[in-house]
Every structure is written in structure tokens, then in C-alpha cells.
Amino acid sequence: MANAKEIKERMASIEETRKITNAMYLISSSKMKQAKKKLADTEPFFYAMQAEIARILRHVPDMHSQFFDGRESIPAEERKIGYIVVTADKGLAGAYNHNVIKATEELLKKPGKHKLFVLGEAGRQYFAKREGIEMDTQFRYTVQNPTLHRSRIISSEMVEQFRNGDLDEIHIVYTRMIKAMTAETEEQKLLPMKKTTFLPEDMPALVGTGLYQEDMVFWPSTHSVMANIVPNYINGIVYGCLVEAYCSEHNARMQAMQNATDSATDMLNELSTDDSNIHFKSYITSHADDMSCDNLQDYFNLYFKDHPGFLTADVIKRSNLDRGYAYQILNGRKPHPGKYKLVLLALCAGMNLKEIQRALTISGNAVLYPKFPQDAALIVCINQNCTSAFEVMNFFAENNLDFPE
């Protein structure tokens, strides 16, 4: 059996690991929110490009463009198919990279001469070891912090290969975030395009505007206009896929780091004799009669006495707060904690809005005020009975809000 010193050293090591995984969780949450905001800011321009292509096709439905040339005369076995595969530059993101690689492997089983253009070190390292797969080794771009400049370089290179006949089809394999906790690996065909995908009723930029056959003049020609618009449109799709993949990667990393943090907390609970918790419950029993609830310690003591289903160790675990910091709040050694740390702790204890506002008042903090976006978001989380920091952080990320310090 390990002695007390060994247990203490192991607990210190686990605590350090827990701090790292918790920090990585918060970093991924921030990066995901920033990327989603960038995408929302640029989407209107690319929706406009999509709408312009639809307008051109509406006026000249029988036009011939190389971007709509399906090259049907080429047999399926002889078609040169390029795949842009978007993976991560590193791991620690659950099954994120595995799912993209698995989807790509399935596509490679289909007829045709396949060539891979892999983004992200994880995918490059994997496919470099696979025999019989052609991969463009010069196609080396990072997937971190997607930018329009990088997507323009990537899309321009792919469009040029399609124009030159080096590729007959171009697809992109990436991960799309459906909602906060769900992501799916998808494959989208970039070129050649189909005219049926540009029906006016499917264009976000044209919904609700009404359609009419306006007079249009194309200069110098319809084909020249289309040749300028389509590369910008493809650039927009590539950029959107890169941002979606980047958000999905960090969402997967958030979940992986949350699981790692939870596991570390469970290990600490198993290794600890939890003396603080024993003394804490003893204090409740011996001082229940003379509690005045004019300080946080008494307030939490009385609350836990009335709600025996909530264990302090579980509450601290769900709050994602530093264990020592949380116990200082509960044991009265930190009578004036940070406002939002206190809210997280009280929320994870199952307190309602009125009880949390009372705790803030006792601690000398300002109560939650709906006029402030972060406070309003927290009020929504409380009213929705969120009981973990993970749920709160996801709600903030979905609504493009930074969690206040």
C-alpha cells in the first residue's frame, strides 16, 4: 500500500494535469467562438456570389462553362478525382481525426484515380505511411486560425488544376458542427458544379426578395463574368469548410478535455480522505441552531443541510473550479470570492436564481443584472436548470459570448 507521501505526490501530479486539461478546455472554447464570428462576418459576401451565379444562369440558362462541365465522356475508372482532406494539426481531440480519415478511406474505395490534398499534420502523417495512395506532398497548409487569404491560395490552386484538366472532380472532406455537442464528417463536391444547385429558392441571399427578370448586361462576356465569380464562390465554400472544421476540432477537444478533467477529479476524490468534507458536515450538525446566514459559509451550510442530495465534492467537480479555491469559499476562508466563480459554484449546487442572488449579496458582489449580456446568459442557464460548467460554457459559445472572469 502506498504511504502518505506517495499519495500526496500523486495527488499533486493529478492536480497539475487537471489544471492543464481545464486550461485547454477554456482555450478551445475561446478559439471556437472567435472562428464562428469570423465566418458569420464573411458569409454575406459569399452568399451574394452564390446569388449572382443563380442570376446569370436564370438569364442565360443554356450557357456553357468549364465549371459546369461534368466531363461525362471520361469513364468512372479513368476520372482524376482530387480530395481536400481537412484534419487537425494535433491530437487530444477525441475521435475527430479518426472520423475524417475513416471517411476518406471509404471514398478511396470508389472507382477513379484518386489524389489527396491533405490539410493538417495528423492527416498528412497518416496518409504518408499508406502505400498506393497518391498525395500531393507540396500541399502543406496549417488548419489553425483559418483565414480568407489561406483559403484563397488553396482554392486557386485547386481551380487551376481543374481548368488544366489535371483533375476532373474536386471534393472536400471536413467535419461540420451540427450543434454544441454534435459534429459530423461530410464530403462536399466543389467542381464541377451543377446548375440545379443554384435554384433561386435555395439561395439565402434571395430568400424573401422576390424574383424578376431584370435587364442585365454582361461585360466583356457572360463567360468572363462567370470565370471571375466562380473562383470567389469556391473560395467562400473552402473558407466555410475550414472554419467549420476548426470549430468542430475545438468542440471535440473541449469534450475530450472535459472528460479528462472529470477523470482527474474522480481520481483525486478516490485518493483523498476528504477531511475537509467531513469537518464541513460536522460543522453543520453542531452549529445548525445558531446560524445567522450573514456569511457564505453559513449560507452554504444551511443550503446543503436542506438539500442532502448535493455532495460538496460533486458540486465542486461540476463547477470546474480549482478544488482548493472552492473549498475556501465553502469553508469561509474566502468570504468575498469572484462574482462569476461564486455563480458557477452555486449553480452547480442546484440553487435557483433567488438563492444565487442572495449568495452574491452576502459575498458583497453585485447581483446578476439582465441588462448585461453575460449576466443575462447566466440567468438563462440558471432558469434552464444547468448544473455544470460544461453546459454553461457551451451555452456561452453557442451565443458568441466570452465567459466573464
Side-chain angles (χ1 to χ4, degrees):
M1 182 180 292
N3 58 37
K5 181 179 179 182
E6 291 173 341
I7 293 175
K8 185 176 180 180
E9 290 175 351
R10 188 179 179 191
M11 289 180 66
S13 175
I14 295 172
E15 180 64 31
E16 288 302 313
T17 302
R18 193 171 76 100
K19 289 179 180 178
I20 292 171
T21 56
N22 185 48
M24 291 180 68
Y25 169 89
L26 295 174
I27 290 170
S28 290
S29 175
S30 175
K31 287 184 176 180
M32 181 178 70
K33 182 189 73 64
Q34 293 171 6
K36 290 176 72 174
K37 183 179 184 303
K38 286 182 181 178
L39 180 61
D41 291 342
T42 56
E43 274 183 338
F45 173 77
F46 297 108
Y47 283 148
M49 291 293 99
Q50 187 183 42
E52 287 307 310
I53 295 174
R55 291 176 66 198
I56 293 172
L57 293 175
R58 193 166 73 251
H59 286 79
V60 192
D62 57 345
M63 77 167 294
H64 297 284
S65 170
Q66 58 182 326
F67 297 115
F68 294 94
D69 183 6
R71 304 176 187 176
E72 289 84 359
S73 59
I74 302 176
E77 294 75 12
E78 299 297 321
R79 295 180 73 82
K80 299 183 286 290
I81 306 173
Y83 293 101
I84 303 174
V85 182
V86 186
T87 63
D89 283 330
K90 53 187 177 182
L92 299 177
Y96 173 80
N97 289 313
H98 171 76
N99 291 338
V100 176
I101 290 171
K102 182 180 178 182
T104 305
E105 292 277 15
E106 291 297 319
L107 292 170
L108 293 175
K109 295 177 183 178
K110 295 181 178 181
K113 298 179 178 179
H114 306 285
K115 185 174 182 179
L116 299 183
F117 301 83
V118 184
L119 298 171
E121 280 300 319
R124 277 196 291 268
Q125 291 178 12
Y126 174 83
F127 287 109
K129 299 174 184 177
R130 293 273 281 104
E131 295 182 2
I133 294 179
E134 183 180 3
M135 183 175 70
D136 190 330
T137 57
Q138 303 301 315
F139 196 83
R140 303 183 69 86
Y141 300 100
T142 181
V143 293
Q144 297 301 308
N145 299 318
T147 63
L148 277 170
H149 174 70
R150 191 185 309 141
S151 67
R152 188 173 291 110
I153 294 173
I154 294 169
S155 61
S156 297
E157 184 174 337
M158 301 306 296
V159 168
E160 190 63 28
Q161 293 203 34
F162 180 79
R163 279 174 162 169
N164 295 339
D166 297 330
L167 294 173
D168 299 314
E169 293 180 21
I170 299 174
H171 301 250
I172 185 167
V173 184
Y174 71 106
T175 307
R176 184 167 71 91
M177 196 166 74
I178 309 300
K179 51 185 179 181
M181 300 293 291
T182 310
E184 291 183 358
T185 303
E186 293 192 351
E187 173 262 331
Q188 183 175 351
K189 189 175 184 179
L190 300 179
L191 290 171
M193 300 186 297
K194 292 184 178 180
K195 295 181 179 179
T196 53
T197 61
F198 293 92
L199 298 174
E201 57 267 25
D202 297 330
M203 303 292 103
L206 295 179
V207 172
T209 61
L211 297 174
Y212 57 92
Q213 198 74 10
E214 71 274 47
D215 292 330
M216 295 185 69
V217 177
F218 302 100
W219 189 89
S221 67
T222 309
H223 289 84
S224 297
V225 174
M226 187 69 82
N228 279 279
I229 291 178
V230 171
N232 280 313
Y233 173 63
I234 298 297
N235 177 32
I237 296 178
V238 171
Y239 177 67
C241 292
L242 291 179
V243 173
E244 284 280 359
Y246 184 68
C247 291
S248 299
E249 174 193 344
H250 283 288
N251 185 57
R253 185 164 291 118
M254 284 171 62
Q255 295 180 44
M257 292 302 100
Q258 180 66 47
N259 292 336
T261 302
D262 290 345
S263 297
T265 303
D266 290 340
M267 292 175 69
L268 286 172
N269 290 337
E270 291 175 5
L271 290 170
S272 174
T273 57
D274 213 0
D275 290 335
S276 297
N277 197 29
I278 294 172
H279 295 317
F280 183 61
K281 290 181 178 178
S282 175
Y283 181 89
I284 293 177
T285 304
S286 59
H287 295 79
D289 295 335
D290 59 350
M291 282 186 178
S292 61
C293 287
D294 59 352
N295 60 71
L296 281 180
Q297 182 186 19
D298 291 348
Y299 187 68
F300 272 103
N301 283 352
L302 185 59
Y303 177 82
F304 283 118
K305 182 181 179 182
D306 293 337
H307 300 79
F310 288 95
L311 299 177
T312 54
D314 292 340
V315 169
I316 293 170
K317 173 183 172 181
R318 290 196 300 271
S319 72
N320 225 16
L321 295 176
D322 178 80
R323 190 166 177 266
Y325 186 95
Y327 270 119
Q328 285 179 356
I329 296 175
L330 297 177
N331 291 333
R333 293 194 293 274
K334 191 172 286 293
H336 306 293
K339 172 179 177 178
Y340 297 102
K341 288 184 172 66
L342 177 57
V343 171
L344 269 183
L345 188 63
L347 177 146
C348 293
M351 288 188 180
N352 59 33
L353 181 58
K354 183 178 179 180
E355 291 166 335
I356 291 176
Q357 300 286 45
R358 172 63 179 154
L360 289 171
T361 302
I362 292 173
S363 67
N365 285 298
V367 297
L368 295 174
Y369 188 41
K371 181 178 180 180
F372 303 121
Q374 285 88 349
D375 284 13
L378 279 170
I379 290 172
V380 172
C381 290
I382 294 166
N383 289 335
Q384 290 181 348
N385 298 318
C386 294
T387 56
S388 73
F390 185 62
E391 293 176 276
V392 174
M393 294 303 176
N394 273 333
F395 183 82
F396 271 70
E398 287 176 350
N399 291 277
N400 294 321
L401 291 172
D402 286 318
F403 188 82
E405 294 297 329

